[in-house]
Amino acid sequence: QVQLVESGGGLVQPGGSLRLSCAASGSIFDINAMGWYRQAPGKERELVVTSSGANINYADSVKGRFTISRDNAKNTVYLQMNSLKPEDTAVYYCNAKIRVRYTSNYIDYWGQGTQVTVSS
């Protein structure tokens, strides 16, 4: 089995920063893309950023403020969030496309979600 465990959410004032982490563990053969999505109350889940090899795709709403990074040796992805705004308030979900050992396909896995609240 594979697990994605997130950490780093919390309450921050507008203009502040937070760093989210997501570690994948289990019977992993390979990880392709990793990224972050978010879901605000009453809204659909939306892409924040994905990273696959040299390709990184940010949502327009976070460009210049959020930065994704990966530690492939640790199967971990990070999201550095700066200049946070109230509209960034949401549950943030880690996503990874993982090939489990002894299988041939990549499957989407999701973390449990971590709450980020931006408020004064």
Side-chain angles (χ1 to χ4, degrees):
Q1 277 290 2
V2 171
Q3 272 191 317
L4 300 183
V5 178
E6 301 155 357
S7 60
L11 173 64
V12 64
Q13 291 186 342
S17 298
L18 280 176
R19 188 190 194 212
L20 305 183
S21 301
C22 172
S25 62
S27 188
I28 297 170
F29 177 80
D30 185 51
I31 298 178
N32 189 347
M34 296 188 84
W36 295 89
Y37 290 70
R38 67 186 181 186
Q39 188 166 18
K43 295 187 177 180
E44 294 187 354
R45 190 173 297 189
E46 64 176 5
L47 169 73
V48 176
V49 57
T50 61
S51 169
S52 177
N55 296 317
I56 298 177
N57 180 33
Y58 289 97
D60 288 341
S61 59
V62 306
K63 282 181 181 176
R65 301 187 298 121
F66 291 11
T67 303
I68 190 172
S69 60
R70 289 172 64 172
D71 184 336
N72 292 327
K74 295 181 179 180
N75 290 335
T76 300
V77 63
Y78 305 94
L79 182 65
Q80 178 66 44
M81 304 185 293
N82 298 328
S83 302
L84 282 160
K85 304 174 181 180
E87 51 263 43
D88 294 317
T89 295
V91 177
Y92 284 69
Y93 296 92
C94 173
N95 170 265
K97 299 187 187 306
I98 295 174
R99 180 180 168 186
V100 175
R101 288 189 185 129
Y102 311 118
T103 67
S104 57
N105 296 322
Y106 288 85
I107 298 174
D108 273 322
Y109 286 88
W110 293 89
Q112 80 282 5
T114 185
Q115 177 70 46
V116 171
T117 302
V118 184
S119 175
S120 54

